[in-house]
């Protein structure tokens, strides 16, 4: 066909030239890239709130940042529950239990990133700095951000530590006001990470302290590369990682808040690992030969918390009425699909301090009586906040909220379901703006205190972690007594009293303990799902 | 004469921009919540910060001065902070808008490459089987809701056959620094060791969203080109050319096509607003990191400064695109200039 007159030969030359360049360029590069790009894509359920585990307790954030970017002094073996050395090679506790001395590992390098190049390896200064930041108001970073260290404040560590002393370059001593049985467990949590003092000082010089929690520098197997909100987080391999050389070139978190989209991406192989598939989707996933579904027992509890400072929820009769109005069996069936157990206490049965409690049963008649006694014969209106994300302890809070809403209608209470984006949701719950909220807790250590102090102590109320906004001096006393002793039997007794008190007062109604699920491509190995704490991808690799 | 036309168009543009900014400004008052938070995106401002903000936003002055300050901030690129990310709204817009435009441009290119030839074929074989087949397909494509088509394609090509990925612009392991924000161009510009693979991967990701988004403009272009060609083919000069013995190909390509394409060019401009709306739906379904998906997320999260910013950016863009298409059309078609004056 002859070319139209207006498309003359003069157009043809540059177009041909461009096409040739494009094609030849591609050709060269294809030759270079015979090897396939290496990396793991993890589909995460929410944006991280921060990149420093010291300042948050949000499980979705901890999963993404804690074990990948950082190391702790010691860790807890998931099988034997014994302490294992990490950045500390040895530790020694004085006879009175008030001095704990850690010997540090040598030649541990910090991440070298676009924004920081370390000049020295990790030493005692870094450890002292990391913990001082949490407890010492004179530390230049103590007030950076919101000056909130929810985990450590809620377990009362700031009241416990007298000082942290650098004995020599590789020895650090913690001096405590009193001995406390859960101290080592708390030091082994994902929150007690070691940060670089040198990096912190660089930021002080640059007058840019705000970046400290958002542009992380740690000693973990991966280093931070970039974060695009609602899209992805990119980590690169840390070449000099002290433990091993297993890491992939990249670890990318694909932030996919929608449950169904996450599973669909797993099916189209866009994700190598998917967080929290819901129970309804497990069958579809298990039917595929290229997908493996891991199931792990996890210490957690899903509960319904009432804001006990707000009327009418400050009245225990109202709380009892609400607790008796909900049909737990229906929730277990419709939300957990048989992959969870109904709660018999706030502690999961696998905890050593667990004791079955006489939980409020489904009894609308009794609930109505309680309401009348409390002076609300016609019911009232309330908000019911439901988490927007799927968590181990509550795979579908929206559905649970709808079931509770219909149960409440039976006794004349009109509940409105409220939802916000996950991080906003937590922030608002922290400010105690809610009436009642469906939330939960996954343990960071096997110690039972981890279920009580961070959730229901008075200090937790002040640090915005106590969703029931409940501060009961007697209950706090029980927790303190339990921590003051190392006698296991005695501790057990105190915790059992605490559990009884919770059922009598009902600041929270424990609903269920869930299982942790994870779907991964069969070519991915070495994912460590722990019964407590976040997930570790330090050993994960792809064949 | 053209300058006169341009002046009229520009005054219309100014009026539109005024209406748009006034509406956006009013949104601050219409949205629930604190006025200062709606303006600035500062959620937890303390007393001294509130003082500074009040001064900056002229809260104590009358509405006219507030609006003026609002305009100044708009031009300075100070569009407030997003409530959910805490980062500058303008930064988000700059980062995300190119991805949306990219998708629209690719879809438009596909629509032009398929729609115009298909329209020409229809007119050339008027009322014969190619015309009937293409017209029926066009009707089908025109009637399918875009979200349904997207979900259908995902179900068939992603989930059942596994041929295409269902989200994003490129496999996440490929780290392509944004230069132009057109992913294919960026891969080409950036000397990436896995360039070839990345290019193929990006094309792979682009296919379904582009096909979905191109469906509507393609069908519109087919219909417009067909109708326009048929009208032109009825003209006396074509009849004369035919009488002179020119064959069908010569008639269509050398004589009819250029004139027939004039109204089509105008139509392309008008399609832009529809295209942007459809792009938003497509972005959400294919998790395309563009402004549409971001805006819908913002609505869901009640992020008022982000909703305002997104709305403003998209509306600006649509107005400019329409205006540009109008001007180009007028440049190419002298008759249209007269029509703009109302003289014909």
């Amino acid at each position: 066909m002859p070319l139209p007159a207006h498309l003359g030969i003069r157009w043809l030359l540059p177009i041909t030239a461009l096409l040739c360049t494009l094609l030849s360029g591609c050709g060269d590069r294809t030759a270079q890239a015979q090897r396939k790009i290496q990396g793991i894509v993890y589909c995460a359920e929410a944006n991280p709130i921060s990149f420093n585990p010291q300042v948050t307790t949000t499980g979705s954030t901890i999963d993404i940042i804690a074990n990948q970017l950082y190391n702790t002094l010691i860790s807890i073996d998931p099988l034997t529950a014994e302490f294992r050395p990490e950045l500390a090679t040895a530790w020694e506790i004085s006879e009175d239990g008030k001095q704990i001395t850690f010997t540090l590992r040598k030649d541990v390098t910090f991440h070298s990133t676009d924004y920081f190049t370390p000049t020295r390896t990790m030493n005692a200064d870094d450890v002292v700095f990391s913990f001082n930041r949490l407890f010492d108001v004179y530390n230049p970073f103590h007030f950076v951000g919101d000056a909130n260290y929810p985990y450590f404040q809620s377990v009362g560590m700031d009241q416990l530590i007298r000082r942290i002393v650098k004995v020599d370059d590789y020895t650090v001593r913690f001096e405590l006001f009193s001995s406390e049985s859960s101290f080592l467990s708390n030091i082994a949590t994902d929150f007690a990470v070691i940060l670089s003092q040198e990096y912190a000082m660089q930021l002080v010089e640059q007058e840019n302290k705000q970046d400290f929690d958002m542009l992380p520098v740690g000693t973990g197997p991966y280093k931070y590369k970039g974060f695009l909100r609602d899209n992805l987080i990119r980590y690169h391999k840390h070449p000099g990682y002290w433990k091993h050389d297993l890491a992939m070139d990249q670890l990318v978190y694909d932030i996919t808040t929608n449950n169904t989209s996450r599973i669909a991406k797993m099916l189209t192989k866009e994700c190598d690992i998917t967080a929290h598939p819901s129970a309804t989707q497990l069958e579809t996933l298990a039917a595929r030969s290229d997908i493996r579904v891991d199931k792990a027992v996890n210490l957690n509890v899903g509960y319904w918390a009432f804001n006990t400072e707000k009327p009418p929820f400050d009245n225990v009769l109202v709380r009892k009425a609400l607790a008796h109005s909900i049909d737990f069996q229906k929730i277990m069936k419709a939300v957990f699909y048989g992959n969870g157990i109904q709660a018999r206490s706030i502690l999961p049965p696998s905890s050593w301090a667990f004791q079955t409690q006489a939980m409020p049963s489904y009894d609308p008649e009794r609930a109505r009586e309680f309401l009348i006694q409390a002076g609300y014969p016609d019911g009232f209106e309330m908000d019911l906040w439901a988490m927007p994300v799927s968590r181990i302890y509550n795979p579908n809070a929206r559905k649970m909220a709808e079931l509770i809403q219909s149960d409440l209608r039976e006794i004349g209470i009109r509940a409105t379901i409220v939802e916000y984006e996950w991080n906003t949701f937590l922030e608002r719950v922290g400010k105690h703006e809610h009436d009642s909220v469906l939330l939960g807790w996954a343990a960071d250590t096997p110690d039972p205190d981890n279920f009580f102090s961070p959730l229901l102590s008075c200090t937790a109320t002040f640090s915005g972690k106590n969703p029931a906004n409940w501060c009961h001096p007697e209950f706090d006393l029980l927790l303190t007594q339990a921590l003051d002793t190392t006698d296991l039997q005695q501790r057990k007794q105190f915790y059992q009293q605490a559990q009884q008190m919770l059922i009598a007062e009902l600041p929270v109604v424990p609903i269920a303990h869930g299982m942790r699920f994870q779907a991964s491509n069969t070519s991915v190995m070495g994912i460590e799902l722990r019964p407590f704490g976040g997930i570790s991808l330090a050993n994960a690799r792809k064949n | 004469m053209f300058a006169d036309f341009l002046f009229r168009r520009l005054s219309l543009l100014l009026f539109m921009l005024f209406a748009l900014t006034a509406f956006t400004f009013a949104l601050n008052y219409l949205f629930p919540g604190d006025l200062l938070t709606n303006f600035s995106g500062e959620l937890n401002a303390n007393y001294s910060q509130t003082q500074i903000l009040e001064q900056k936003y002229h809260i104590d002055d009358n509405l006219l001065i507030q609006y003026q300050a609002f305009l100044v901030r708009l031009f300075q690129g100070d569009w407030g902070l997003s409530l959910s990310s805490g980062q500058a709204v303008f930064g988000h817009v700059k980062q995300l808008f190119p991805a949306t435009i990219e998708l629209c441009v690719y879809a438009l290119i596909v629509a032009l490459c398929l729609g115009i030839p298909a329209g020409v074929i229809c007119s050339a074989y008027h009322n014969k089987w190619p015309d009937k087949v293409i017209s029926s397909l066009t009707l089908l494509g025109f009637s399918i809701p875009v979200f349904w088509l997207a979900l259908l394609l995902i179900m068939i090509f992603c989930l059942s056959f596994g041929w295409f990925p269902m989200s994003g612009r490129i496999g996440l392991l490929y780290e392509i620094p944004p230069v132009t924000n057109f992913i294919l161009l960026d891969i080409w510009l950036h000397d990436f060791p896995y360039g070839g693979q990345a290019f193929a991967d990006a094309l792979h990701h682009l296919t379904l969203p582009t096909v979905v988004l191109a469906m509507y403009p393609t069908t519109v272009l087919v219909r417009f080109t067909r109708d326009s060609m048929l009208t032109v083919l009825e003209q006396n000069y074509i009849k004369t050319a035919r009488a002179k013995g020119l064959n069908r190909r010569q008639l269509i390509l050398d004589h009819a096509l250029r004139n027939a394409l004039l109204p089509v060019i105008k139509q392309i401009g008008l399609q832009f607003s529809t295209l942007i709306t459809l792009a938003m739906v497509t972005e959400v379904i294919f998790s395309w990191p563009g402004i549409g998906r971001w805006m819908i997320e913002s609505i869901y999260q009640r992020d008022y400064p982000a909703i305002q910013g997104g709305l403003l950016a998209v509306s600006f863009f649509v107005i400019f695109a329409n205006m540009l298409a109008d001007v180009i059309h007028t440049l190419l078609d002298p008759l249209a200039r007269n029509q703009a004056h109302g003289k014909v």
Side-chain angles (χ1 to χ4, degrees):
Chain A
M1 185 187 99
L3 271 168
H6 54 278
L7 270 181
I9 194 82
R10 62 200 167 98
W11 289 105
L12 207 63
L13 276 172
I15 292 174
T16 323
L18 182 74
L19 275 175
C20 289
T21 330
L22 263 175
L23 290 174
S24 64
C26 291
D28 286 349
R29 285 171 186 152
T30 324
Q32 284 169 21
Q34 288 306 314
R35 197 168 69 100
K36 246 195 137 193
I37 197 160
Q38 289 277 313
I40 290 181
V41 180
Y42 177 104
C43 283
E45 72 279 25
N47 284 300
I49 293 178
S50 165
F51 281 92
N52 183 352
Q54 294 180 329
V55 299
T56 179
T57 53
T58 316
S60 46
T61 302
I62 296 296
D63 279 353
I64 294 173
I65 61 173
N67 291 297
Q68 282 55 262
L69 296 175
Y70 298 99
N71 291 117
T72 48
L73 287 179
I74 51 174
S75 65
I76 304 173
D77 191 303
L79 296 175
T80 59
E82 280 172 2
F83 295 112
R84 319 187 272 210
E86 291 285 328
L87 292 181
T89 49
W91 54 95
E92 204 178 309
I93 305 172
S94 67
E95 268 186 25
D96 61 358
K98 288 186 185 172
Q99 292 194 349
I100 296 104
T101 313
F102 291 96
T103 311
L104 304 180
R105 192 178 295 277
K106 289 176 184 160
D107 300 327
V108 174
T109 51
F110 280 105
H111 299 152
S112 178
T113 61
D114 305 341
Y115 44 89
F116 173 67
T117 312
T119 60
R120 61 169 176 80
T121 53
M122 184 211 64
N123 64 26
D125 289 327
D126 298 309
V127 178
V128 173
F129 168 80
S130 305
F131 287 98
N132 262 344
R133 184 199 177 184
L134 305 171
F135 311 120
D136 181 5
V137 288
Y138 296 108
N139 184 294
F141 284 84
H142 184 74
F143 290 106
V144 168
D146 281 340
N148 202 345
Y149 308 101
Y151 183 75
F152 289 102
Q153 282 171 356
S154 55
V155 295
M157 281 274 270
D158 44 345
Q159 310 298 319
L160 179 74
I161 293 180
R162 173 183 285 177
R163 59 191 181 130
I164 302 149
V165 189
K166 170 186 174 179
V167 179
D168 62 45
D169 266 359
Y170 291 99
T171 315
V172 176
R173 191 171 63 231
F174 285 73
E175 295 181 7
L176 312 182
F177 284 111
S178 60
S179 73
E180 190 176 283
S181 47
S182 65
F183 178 80
L184 277 183
S185 300
N186 285 329
I187 293 292
T189 55
D190 292 338
F191 311 108
V193 294
I194 303 304
L195 309 161
S196 163
Q197 186 220 22
E198 195 189 0
Y199 172 52
M201 291 309 125
Q202 179 189 309
L203 288 180
V204 172
E205 258 173 52
Q206 294 169 349
E207 294 187 8
N208 201 9
K209 286 192 275 187
Q210 305 301 332
D211 277 356
F212 192 60
D213 295 330
M214 289 319 281
L215 295 176
V217 168
T219 55
Y222 290 96
K223 59 182 184 180
Y224 175 89
K225 184 69 175 121
F227 169 41
L228 197 58
R229 213 187 140 77
D230 293 324
N231 275 304
L232 65 91
I233 308 155
R234 190 184 302 280
Y235 295 157
H236 279 187
K237 177 182 180 169
H238 175 196
Y241 184 48
W242 60 274
K243 218 173 187 175
H244 51 64
D245 188 29
L246 279 178
M248 307 291 289
D249 289 343
Q250 285 194 60
L251 175 60
V252 177
Y253 288 86
D254 180 351
I255 299 163
T256 313
T257 44
N258 184 296
N259 245 346
T260 318
S261 305
R262 253 194 341 268
I263 299 307
K265 282 186 185 183
M266 191 76 223
L267 298 177
T268 56
K269 294 198 170 66
E270 284 165 78
C271 304
D272 294 316
I273 310 170
T274 295
H276 308 293
S278 72
T280 41
Q281 296 156 339
L282 292 176
E283 237 170 87
T284 320
L285 289 172
R288 293 267 299 237
S289 59
D290 55 343
I291 293 172
R292 177 180 57 228
V293 180
D294 296 316
K295 199 170 175 182
V297 178
N298 183 284
L299 290 176
N300 65 67
V301 61
Y303 55 77
W304 183 21
F306 309 112
N307 188 346
T308 54
E309 285 296 307
K310 253 191 192 177
F313 309 100
D314 51 350
N315 186 340
V316 66
L317 292 171
V318 170
R319 300 202 292 266
K320 280 188 175 162
L322 292 169
H324 278 290
S325 70
I326 56 173
D327 187 347
F328 293 95
Q329 292 299 331
K330 206 160 68 184
I331 290 178
M332 293 312 297
K333 266 188 219 149
V335 178
F336 288 88
Y337 293 93
N339 289 305
I341 43 174
Q342 194 181 329
R344 293 270 157 231
S345 162
I346 191 139
L347 285 181
S350 45
S351 170
W352 55 259
F354 169 79
Q355 189 192 36
T356 307
Q357 302 293 318
M359 292 284 294
S361 54
Y362 173 54
D363 191 348
E365 272 311 309
R366 210 155 157 219
R368 248 179 247 122
E369 277 168 30
F370 276 124
L371 266 192
I372 293 166
Q373 280 177 38
Y376 296 97
D378 302 324
F380 49 84
E381 282 183 17
M382 64 181 280
D383 281 347
L384 173 55
W385 289 34
M387 306 184 303
V389 292
S390 162
R391 306 296 304 151
I392 313 164
Y393 42 75
N394 192 344
N396 192 344
R398 174 85 205 182
K399 197 170 206 175
M400 194 186 277
E402 282 163 5
L403 293 174
I404 293 179
Q405 189 184 36
S406 76
D407 284 339
L408 289 179
R409 207 177 294 133
E410 295 286 308
I411 61 163
I413 295 174
R414 296 161 298 282
T416 315
I417 298 172
V418 177
E419 267 182 322
Y420 290 104
E421 184 267 338
W422 184 218
N423 294 339
T424 317
F425 183 87
L426 289 171
E427 202 180 308
R428 293 193 170 204
V429 170
K431 287 185 195 156
H432 300 132
E433 290 178 17
H434 57 290
D435 287 343
S436 73
V437 57
L438 289 172
L439 214 59
W441 180 258
D444 309 291
T445 73
D447 196 296
D449 181 64
N450 193 270
F451 276 89
F452 297 107
S453 293
L455 280 185
L456 293 154
S457 65
C458 293
T459 42
T461 315
F462 309 135
S463 59
K465 284 321 291 175
N466 184 334
N469 206 0
W470 192 63
C471 175
H472 199 295
E474 278 176 49
F475 182 77
D476 261 32
L477 184 68
L478 281 174
L479 299 188
T480 319
Q481 284 171 327
L483 286 176
D484 280 346
T485 172
T486 44
D487 180 348
L488 213 64
Q489 276 311 316
Q490 248 185 329
R491 286 192 79 191
K492 218 172 182 175
Q493 273 180 7
F494 287 124
Y495 286 131
Q496 284 170 358
Q497 283 178 39
Q499 289 172 71
Q500 283 161 13
M501 191 167 204
L502 283 180
I503 297 303
E505 289 283 328
L506 283 174
V508 297
V509 182
I511 295 175
H513 310 288
M515 302 275 263
R516 179 166 189 151
F517 293 104
Q518 183 146 271
S520 55
N521 200 297
T522 39
S523 62
V524 182
M525 326 233 257
I527 309 161
E528 206 179 311
L529 263 187
R530 299 176 177 174
F532 40 83
I535 172 178
S536 171
L537 299 177
N539 299 323
R541 62 208 175 277
K542 200 155 114 186
N543 289 338
Chain B
M1 213 199 245
F2 183 67
D4 198 16
F5 161 81
L6 213 57
F7 175 73
R8 277 164 180 260
R9 277 291 176 268
L10 282 180
S11 17
L12 182 65
L13 178 71
L14 274 182
F15 176 75
M16 297 270 274
L17 291 184
F18 164 74
L20 180 65
T21 49
F23 174 68
T24 318
F25 173 73
L27 280 180
N28 289 299
Y29 283 87
L30 298 175
F31 281 141
D34 180 50
L35 181 64
L36 264 185
T37 310
N38 289 349
F39 266 127
S40 64
E42 291 274 2
L43 254 182
N44 304 315
N46 57 32
Y47 181 72
S48 65
Q49 282 170 326
T50 312
Q51 297 281 309
I52 298 170
L53 287 180
E54 276 179 358
Q55 231 165 24
K56 181 177 168 190
Y57 293 97
H58 295 269
I59 295 296
D60 297 327
D61 295 313
N62 64 37
L63 281 180
L64 217 60
I65 295 179
Q66 279 186 35
Y67 174 65
Q68 193 193 344
F70 174 77
L71 283 185
V72 171
R73 286 197 311 277
L74 273 191
F75 285 108
Q76 287 170 344
D78 176 7
W79 293 19
L81 301 176
S82 155
L83 291 181
S84 55
S85 73
Q87 287 162 354
V89 170
F90 193 62
H92 280 299
V93 171
K94 269 201 305 195
Q95 195 180 29
L96 298 169
F97 212 169
T100 305
I101 297 178
E102 176 188 33
L103 194 57
C104 293
V105 167
Y106 289 143
L108 208 58
I109 291 174
V110 170
L112 288 174
C113 293
L114 293 179
I116 293 179
V120 172
I121 291 172
C122 280
S123 61
Y125 296 95
H126 184 46
N127 275 341
K128 300 204 176 91
W129 70 264
D131 180 23
K132 285 178 182 161
V133 170
I134 294 176
S135 295
S136 323
L137 285 177
T138 309
L139 188 68
L140 195 72
F142 190 74
S143 324
I144 288 183
V146 65
F147 67 89
W148 191 73
L149 177 69
L151 291 175
L152 200 69
L153 292 187
I154 285 181
M155 207 180 78
I156 298 171
F157 294 108
C158 304
L159 295 175
S160 299
F161 295 133
W163 290 349
F164 292 101
M166 54 169 278
S167 69
R169 299 168 85 182
I170 188 165
L172 296 179
L173 294 175
Y174 299 103
E175 195 179 351
I176 312 292
V179 184
T180 60
N181 265 307
F182 278 66
I183 192 86
L184 297 180
L185 264 183
D186 280 350
I187 295 171
W188 187 58
L189 287 173
H190 175 59
D191 195 19
F192 184 61
Y194 299 96
Q197 286 178 20
F199 201 83
D201 195 62
L203 277 179
H204 208 194
H205 275 82
L206 261 171
T207 313
L208 285 189
T210 311
V211 165
V212 168
L213 190 57
M215 184 61 82
Y216 181 80
T218 308
T219 53
V220 171
L221 281 185
V222 171
R223 289 161 68 144
F224 257 86
T225 315
R226 176 181 179 272
D227 292 353
S228 175
M229 278 296 278
L230 286 177
T231 318
V232 171
L233 288 175
E234 287 298 303
Q235 303 279 321
N236 284 337
Y237 76 96
I238 297 288
K239 286 179 186 159
T240 313
R242 192 180 288 152
K244 278 163 74 183
L246 268 69
N247 64 25
R248 183 151 59 181
R249 178 178 294 163
Q250 283 170 322
L251 271 180
I252 288 174
L253 292 181
D254 298 346
H255 296 271
L257 190 61
R258 288 183 84 175
N259 288 329
L261 282 185
L262 280 173
V264 178
I265 290 172
K266 194 168 185 177
Q267 197 54 37
I268 295 171
L270 293 176
Q271 283 304 309
F272 243 98
S273 53
T274 326
L275 205 57
I276 291 268
T277 319
L278 296 179
M280 288 189 177
V281 181
T282 316
E283 280 176 17
V284 173
I285 296 177
F286 287 99
S287 306
W288 190 266
I291 199 158
R293 179 165 159 244
W294 175 70
M295 270 182 78
I296 287 170
E297 284 282 312
S298 306
I299 293 169
Y300 175 65
Q301 293 171 18
R302 301 178 180 88
D303 186 347
Y304 302 121
I307 298 173
Q308 272 181 56
L311 184 84
L312 207 60
V314 171
S315 316
F316 266 147
F317 181 74
V318 170
I319 292 176
F320 274 113
N322 270 326
M323 213 51 95
L324 200 68
D326 211 12
V327 170
I328 291 174
H329 175 243
T330 318
L331 269 178
L332 295 176
D333 182 9
L335 280 176
R337 267 172 258 171
N338 291 336
Q339 278 164 5
H341 283 293
K343 280 179 187 166
V344 172

